[in-house]
Amino acid sequence: MAARGTALVLSSGTVAFDLVGELGPISSGGVPLGGEPAISHVLRGLDGWNVVASLRAEDDLLAESVRRTAPSACLLAGDPSVGLGEACLTALDAIDLNGELLVVFGDTIVKAPPPPDVIVVRPPLDTERWTTAERDPTGRLVFRDKLTSDQPADACVGVFAFRDGVAFRESLRTSVNADRPGAFYDAIE
């Protein structure tokens, strides 16, 4: 069976500031959930995808978890000192990209990846509210009504599905090269 597309799991960045005091400066995919790192749970939701995981070069324990959970995953060394846009672009430039692209943050649990051109995000200051967005016929992002549920949609925090991964990569390249604030999110617009 052919893969649906490429799933890029980004886990070279540090956990959110409010978690550093409790967990230390671990990478986002290293958050402990049920006795294993979050990234292991993330990978289990990506059956049928070519999986690429971008991890900190020195994160041997997380790399071992990836190898154990998704033996065919491609591992890339990510740079924790760069922003999200640059980290994602670096990873996308390192792989053979064609077809659908799914970008998942390392601490995002995905039960079932969304259809192409759907973005699921969490507003940063309201952990009990969830927002989904999709493109309208003109290409602009349209946010749906927020959901309140213990099981919001099929993802938590951030998952981004693109019908054309190459087009997203080039949009991201434009945003990163223009040094736009929030280049990753700017590229989605």
Side-chain angles (χ1 to χ4, degrees):
M1 177 172 77
R4 178 172 167 187
T6 300
L8 173 60
V9 181
L10 295 171
S11 188
S12 58
T14 303
V15 292
F17 178 75
D18 55 338
L19 292 176
V20 170
E22 186 175 336
L23 301 172
I26 63 172
S27 65
S28 60
V31 173
L33 294 173
E36 59 186 350
I39 199 167
S40 294
H41 298 278
V42 172
L43 294 170
R44 285 192 196 97
L46 299 176
D47 285 340
W49 290 82
N50 289 325
V51 176
V52 176
S54 178
L55 313 173
R56 294 179 189 173
E58 70 278 4
D59 209 336
D60 294 334
L61 290 175
L62 208 56
E64 181 54 35
S65 292
V66 170
R67 283 188 204 95
R68 191 172 48 251
T69 309
S72 64
C74 172
L75 294 176
L76 300 175
D79 182 350
S81 70
V82 301
L84 174 60
E86 190 175 341
C88 186
L89 181 60
T90 299
L92 293 176
D93 279 345
I95 61 175
D96 181 24
L97 184 63
N98 55 55
E100 288 184 49
L101 171 66
L102 185 67
V103 178
V104 184
F105 295 162
D107 57 359
T108 300
I109 309 302
V110 180
K111 291 189 238 171
D117 300 329
V118 171
I119 294 103
V120 182
V121 296
R122 177 187 62 85
L125 298 177
D126 189 349
T127 59
E128 299 302 317
R129 305 282 296 174
W130 302 87
T131 303
T132 60
E134 58 188 28
R135 292 195 183 279
D136 69 12
T138 67
R140 298 283 305 158
L141 286 180
V142 177
F143 291 90
R144 297 183 190 166
D145 291 338
K146 293 180 179 181
L147 306 173
T148 55
S149 169
D150 288 6
Q151 301 295 323
D154 283 319
C156 307
V157 184
V159 60
F160 309 83
F162 304 97
R163 184 176 321 278
D164 185 345
V166 173
F168 171 70
R169 179 182 59 199
E170 294 316 308
S171 177
L172 182 57
R173 185 180 319 287
T174 299
S175 294
V176 168
N177 289 343
D179 202 24
R180 294 184 182 138
F184 180 84
Y185 298 101
D186 181 71
I188 294 170
E189 286 285 333

